[in-house]
């Protein structure tokens, strides 16, 4: 009986067909792995594909048996084995050469989003291995009327240097404190942990410009390079000088300069020196203010083809919407201006950065915001602001390890920033690393004791460790120093947590007075209407609370209709339903927030607005999933810290 069965299997070549199918399935999986990585396929697609292939194997065996029974086979056994071998060879080739340069794929967190930073150089290289330089502000040898021009020229040189991924360049914000310096260059080099310090002078007179620049070794005070540029004063010459300085510094520091970076150093200059001057004036005005926008308009009036002025105007409009409550229509204008800038200069990082800010500020669209922020960072890997934006949008998408990676980059490039340390403190606290959070927050407080971001997240970190007394004291101090709606909203929430309902109402009304139509959405701050509504609800004024909740819902739903893809909007919708006691709706929105990257489960566990739904099965299930993802990210963050500690010890960096 068994012999007859074996003979029949042999006749139908079932073994050969099975091996050929398995080889083909393996090849198909390798192809899907390569293609899926390029297009960002979610895990569900891979799982479904594997199930189909497994089911197909049984179908193939049945068909092989059937066709063998009917005598329809036309392929010999050796031929089938040859086909299987060829398919296997193709699969091995894809495995070896399918990923970029054989690099290990970057792991994704359990939210399904990649933690792959838009990396030009590895984090360790930027922090420790790259040659590093601090280009000090240029000294103006002319009159007071030339100050904006000289400051802008310094920014231009920094911008050119920041395009070189193999060179770590300290930001203008951090080097400007040494403008009127008493410290020796060697001391500055130690303070900023750089290998070399650059300095120079600018003299502008008539139709001539003279620029002297030199580079000094930070350890020996020896001259590494120096050059004098004495040329006719024109926009083309000024743009040419900035590119020449960047190339010379890269050579002197023996930094790697790729062909792409070399090409990006040559930026199209404005056709008019007047346009250049107005753009320099714009850079000295406050971000988002009308004075800066007007200066950019004057630059464009002088030269309508000036790409950097279009990008600057785009950024100005986007910041107005984000920070100053300007109408969303300005975000539309910002996108149009940025797109026009990119038509003129496709490699303009500031235009991509403006697009990212506009998408989030206008419509809460974090996916394109992060995409454009990464692109800007790729084009200017040495610009701390580019990485700060990558960090912020990554945190919103639930990719906290990528966010920390970006913040570490930004902090190395801008080591004197309290603001960056404040944002890192929030993430460390949310990851359940309170000691690390307090360390970076205390560093930020030493740099700037009044920095609003540091103070806010110091209070936040204290609250997460159940030290509500200290958290509330910090919140009250923040309000005293910075009377902003956001700070009153947080103080109101903390007052409610300790049972001080009158204090909660007081701060909520102050927030409403400062931002009557505010929709400030963060991980730990409710919108103004929800903050005040919940305080009134706890005090028994349910009618007024319902009116405010309805107002908040209208704003939030409008935001969703405009394409908001962030978790904060969905979590706020959940908060409104939780306050009303609608547990099913609250859980539904929390699930949607989770899918959009919201992972701040600790707030959900502590915030009294969720008291009426906390403990329900659906609520606890969402919390459990968030907690598991945060634990995975916490372990990865600790691994990252350990790698950086090792690199620091190997390099002897403090």
């Amino acid at each position: 009986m068994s012999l007859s069965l074996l003979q029949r299997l042999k006749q139908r070549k079932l073994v050969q067909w099975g091996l050929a199918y398995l080889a083909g399935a393996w090849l198909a999986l390798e192809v899907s792995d390569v293609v899926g990585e390029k297009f960002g396929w979610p895990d569900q697609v891979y799982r479904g594909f594997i199930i189909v292939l497994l089911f197909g194997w049984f179908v193939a065996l049945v068909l092989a048996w059937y066709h063998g029974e009917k005598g329809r086979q036309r392929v010999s056994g050796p031929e089938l084995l040859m086909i299987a071998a060829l398919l296997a060879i193709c699969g091995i080739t894809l495995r070896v050469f399918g990923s970029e340069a054989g690099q290990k794929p970057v792991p994704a967190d359990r939210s399904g989003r990649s933690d792959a930073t838009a990396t030009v150089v590895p984090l360790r290289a930027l922090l420790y291995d790259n040659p590093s330089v601090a280009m000090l502000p240029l000294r103006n040898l002319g009159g007071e009327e030339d100050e904006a021009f000289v400051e802008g020229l310094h920014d231009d040189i920094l911008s050119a240097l920041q395009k070189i991924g193999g060179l770590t360049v300290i930001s203008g914000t951090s080097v400007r404190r040494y403008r009127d310096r008493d410290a020796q260059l060697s001391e500055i080099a130690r303070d900023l942990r750089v290998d070399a310090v650059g300095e120079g002078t600018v003299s502008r007179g008539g139709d001539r410009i003279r620029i002297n620049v030199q580079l000094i070794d930070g350890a020996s005070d020896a001259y590494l390079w120096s050059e004098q540029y004495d040329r006719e004063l024109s926009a083309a010459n000024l743009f040419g000088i900035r590119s020449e300085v960047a190339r010379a510094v890269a050579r002197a520091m023996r930094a790697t300069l790729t062909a792409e970076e070399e090409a990006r150093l040559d930026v199209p200059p404005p056709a008019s020196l007047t346009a250049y001057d107005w753009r320099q004036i714009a850079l000295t005005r406050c971000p988002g203010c009308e004075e800066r926008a007007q200066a950019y308009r004057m630059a464009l009036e002088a030269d309508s083809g000036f790409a950097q002025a279009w990008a600057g105007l785009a950024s100005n409009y986007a910041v107005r919407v984000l920070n100053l409550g300007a109408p969303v229509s300005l975000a539309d204008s910002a996108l149009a201006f940025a797109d026009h800038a990119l038509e003129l200069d496709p490699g303009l990082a500031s235009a991509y950065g403006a697009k990212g800010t506009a998408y989030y500020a206008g419509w809460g669209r974090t996916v394109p915001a992060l995409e454009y922020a990464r692109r800007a960072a790729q084009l200017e890997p040495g610009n701390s602001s580019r990485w700060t934006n990558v960090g912020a949008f990554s945190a919103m998408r639930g990719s906290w390890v990528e966010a920390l990676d970006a913040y570490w980059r930004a902090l190395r490039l801008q080591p004197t920033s309290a603001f960056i340390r404040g944002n890192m403190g929030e993430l460390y606290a949310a990851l359940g690393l309170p000691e690390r959070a307090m360390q970076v927050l205390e560093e930020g407080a030493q740099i700037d004791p009044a920095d609003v971001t540091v103070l806010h997240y110091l209070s936040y970190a204290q609250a997460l460790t159940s030290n509500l007394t200290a958290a509330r004291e910090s919140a009250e101090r923040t309000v005293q120093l910075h009377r902003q709606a956001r700070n009153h909203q947080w103080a109101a929430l903390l007052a409610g947590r300790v049972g001080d309902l009158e204090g909660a109402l007081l701060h909520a009304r102050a927030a409403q007075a400062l931002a009557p139509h505010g929709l400030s959405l963060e991980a730990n701050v409710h919108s103004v209407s929800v903050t005040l509504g919940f305080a009134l609800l706890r005090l028994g004024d349910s009618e007024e609370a319902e009116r405010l909740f309805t107002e908040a819902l209208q704003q939030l739903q409008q935001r969703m209709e405009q394409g908001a893809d962030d978790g904060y909007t969905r979590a706020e919708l959940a908060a409104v339903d939780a306050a009303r006691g609608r547990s099913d709706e609250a859980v539904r929105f929390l699930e949607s927030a989770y899918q959009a990257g919201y992972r701040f489960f600790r707030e959900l566990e502590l915030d009294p607005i969720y008291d009426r739904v906390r403990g329900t099965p659906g609520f606890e299930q969402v919390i459990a999933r968030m907690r598991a993802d945060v634990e995975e990210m916490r372990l990865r963050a600790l691994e990252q810290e350990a790698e950086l500690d090792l690199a620091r010890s190997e390099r002897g960096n403090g």
Side-chain angles (χ1 to χ4, degrees):
M1 182 71 175
S2 60
L3 182 62
S4 174
L5 178 60
L6 288 174
Q7 288 176 338
R8 294 172 70 186
L9 290 174
K10 184 176 180 181
Q11 288 173 351
R12 289 161 177 76
K13 301 183 178 64
L14 227 62
V15 175
Q16 293 94 325
W17 278 110
L19 290 174
Y21 181 89
L22 289 175
W26 182 41
L27 175 61
L29 285 173
E30 294 300 325
V31 172
S32 69
D33 188 43
V34 173
V35 175
E37 184 179 348
K38 298 296 182 187
F39 290 94
W41 289 355
D43 291 341
Q44 292 90 333
V45 174
Y46 289 110
R47 287 195 288 268
F49 190 46
I50 292 171
I51 291 172
V52 169
L53 289 176
L54 288 174
F55 181 74
W57 186 64
F58 292 103
V59 173
L61 293 179
V62 171
L63 290 175
W65 180 278
Y66 173 77
H67 283 284
E69 184 73 25
K70 297 296 184 181
R72 297 177 182 174
Q73 292 186 32
R74 295 292 184 270
V75 184
S76 68
E79 288 173 330
L80 281 173
L81 291 176
M82 288 174 63
I83 293 172
L86 288 172
L87 290 173
I89 291 170
C90 289
I92 292 170
T93 303
L94 278 169
R95 169 59 63 185
V96 175
F97 298 106
S99 60
E100 294 181 4
Q103 293 178 354
K104 180 181 178 181
V106 179
D109 64 31
R110 291 173 62 182
S111 66
R113 281 168 295 280
S114 171
D115 268 348
T117 309
T119 307
V120 176
V121 293
L123 179 59
R124 169 186 169 134
L126 180 67
L127 294 184
Y128 304 116
D129 297 340
N130 269 2
S132 52
V133 62
M135 183 63 67
L136 301 182
L138 302 171
R139 284 189 292 130
N140 175 26
L141 301 183
E144 205 173 296
E145 66 277 6
D146 291 331
E147 284 296 332
F149 172 83
V150 174
E151 186 171 334
L153 184 58
H154 175 249
D155 286 336
D156 279 340
I157 292 173
L158 283 178
S159 179
L161 289 168
Q162 288 164 353
K163 296 179 180 182
I164 303 172
L167 186 65
T168 296
V169 184
I170 302 302
S171 72
T173 304
S174 289
V175 298
R176 285 191 191 105
R177 62 172 52 196
Y178 300 101
R179 182 191 303 276
D180 303 316
R181 62 185 184 276
D182 293 326
Q184 298 295 318
L185 293 182
S186 57
E187 294 177 13
I188 296 173
R190 283 195 299 272
D191 288 347
L192 299 176
R193 292 194 294 112
V194 294
D195 300 314
V197 178
E199 61 177 0
T201 61
V202 180
S203 177
R204 177 181 180 179
D207 61 351
R208 303 295 296 180
I209 182 77
R210 176 176 292 176
I211 303 172
N212 288 290
V213 190
Q214 56 194 21
L215 193 65
I216 295 96
D217 184 87
S220 66
D221 282 337
Y223 282 85
L224 299 175
W225 164 80
S226 65
E227 187 63 69
Q228 176 176 292
Y229 303 91
D230 191 345
R231 298 182 185 174
E232 179 185 353
L233 180 56
S234 69
N237 281 342
L238 290 170
F239 270 52
I241 290 171
R242 58 174 261 173
S243 301
E244 289 178 40
V245 170
R247 290 185 176 96
V249 170
R251 285 194 299 269
M253 300 298 296
R254 296 188 175 134
T256 301
L257 184 61
T258 68
E260 293 81 2
E261 291 168 346
E262 177 84 31
R264 287 202 297 267
L265 288 177
D266 295 319
V267 178
S272 163
L273 185 60
T274 301
Y276 181 86
D277 283 338
W278 274 114
R279 184 248 180 183
Q280 305 302 66
I281 291 171
L283 294 175
T284 65
R285 303 298 188 257
C286 57
C289 67
E290 174 57 25
E291 291 82 0
R292 177 176 280 204
Q294 184 58 29
Y296 280 127
R297 293 191 197 102
M298 295 300 294
L300 291 170
E301 187 175 316
D303 178 8
S304 60
F306 191 6
Q308 291 184 337
W310 283 111
L313 192 58
S315 178
N316 179 277
Y317 277 30
V319 169
R320 283 195 199 185
V321 179
L322 181 66
N323 295 333
L324 303 178
V328 173
S329 59
L330 289 190
D332 286 313
S333 298
L335 288 180
F337 296 156
D339 284 336
H340 187 57
L342 290 171
E343 290 174 5
L344 298 167
D345 182 0
L348 190 55
S350 56
Y352 285 107
K355 290 191 72 169
T357 303
Y359 269 113
Y360 177 68
W363 309 279
R365 297 181 60 187
T366 57
V367 172
L370 179 55
E371 174 188 346
Y372 287 118
R374 284 173 173 163
R375 179 58 180 151
Q378 286 176 327
L379 292 169
E380 280 186 355
N383 188 316
S384 63
S385 297
R386 307 292 176 228
W387 290 112
T388 301
N389 287 341
V390 171
F393 295 135
S394 296
M396 293 176 190
R397 295 303 305 168
S399 296
W400 293 356
V401 180
E402 177 183 359
L404 283 173
D405 179 292
Y407 284 141
W408 273 113
R409 294 170 187 271
L411 190 61
R412 177 63 184 107
L413 301 167
Q414 192 178 341
T416 59
S417 172
F419 171 77
I420 296 171
R421 287 177 170 86
N423 284 292
M424 294 177 74
E426 178 202 19
L427 287 182
Y428 281 122
L431 284 167
L433 298 170
E435 293 181 0
R436 190 72 186 94
M438 294 305 295
Q439 179 184 341
V440 294
L441 290 168
E442 287 170 1
E443 289 174 1
Q446 289 175 0
I447 293 170
D448 184 357
D451 184 86
V452 64
T453 303
V454 170
L455 290 170
H456 179 77
Y457 287 125
L458 175 62
S459 176
Y460 169 73
Q462 291 166 335
L464 288 190
T465 58
S466 299
N467 191 354
L468 290 179
T469 301
R472 197 174 179 200
E473 290 175 356
S474 297
E476 293 294 339
R477 180 165 175 261
T478 307
V479 166
Q480 291 170 5
L481 290 171
H482 305 279
R483 295 190 177 278
Q484 300 173 356
R486 168 211 197 198
N487 298 333
H488 280 292
Q489 289 164 257
W490 173 243
L493 189 147
L494 285 178
R497 287 189 188 180
V498 299
D500 181 6
L501 300 183
E502 291 295 336
L505 182 61
L506 180 68
H507 281 296
R509 290 203 183 281
Q512 185 188 45
L514 290 166
H517 304 293
L519 191 63
S520 172
L521 297 178
E522 297 184 43
N524 61 335
V525 173
H526 295 301
S527 65
V528 172
S529 297
V530 173
T531 300
L532 180 56
F534 187 61
L536 290 169
L537 185 66
R538 296 285 290 268
L539 285 167
D541 191 348
S542 57
E543 184 176 345
E544 179 63 10
E546 183 59 29
R547 186 190 70 78
L548 289 163
F549 287 152
T550 300
E551 177 184 305
L553 282 175
Q554 290 173 347
Q555 289 180 294
L556 293 164
Q557 288 167 353
Q558 182 181 15
R559 188 175 171 91
M560 293 281 285
E561 290 168 1
Q562 291 171 339
D565 58 20
D566 63 307
Y568 297 168
T569 301
R570 290 156 174 79
E572 189 72 346
L573 286 164
V576 173
D577 281 323
R580 291 168 153 180
R582 301 177 179 177
S583 60
D584 290 343
E585 291 85 351
V587 169
R588 180 169 60 85
F589 279 122
L590 281 179
E591 174 64 31
S592 178
Y594 171 80
Q595 295 299 331
Y598 191 89
R599 295 292 182 274
F600 293 92
F601 73 92
R602 300 176 197 276
E603 284 74 16
L604 303 180
E605 292 180 326
L606 297 172
D607 193 339
I609 204 168
Y610 293 100
D611 285 350
R612 299 176 68 181
V613 299
R614 191 175 292 112
T616 61
F619 183 89
E620 296 303 325
Q621 287 172 8
V622 176
I623 290 288
R625 293 167 67 189
M626 291 184 184
R627 184 184 292 110
D629 288 356
V630 170
E631 175 60 17
E632 182 177 329
M633 289 190 288
R634 186 182 73 86
L635 294 175
R636 289 172 54 201
L638 289 173
E639 291 175 1
Q640 183 186 65
E641 295 276 310
E643 292 173 1
L644 294 180
D645 287 342
L646 178 61
R648 188 182 299 117
S649 64
E650 290 176 352
R651 292 284 297 175
N653 290 296

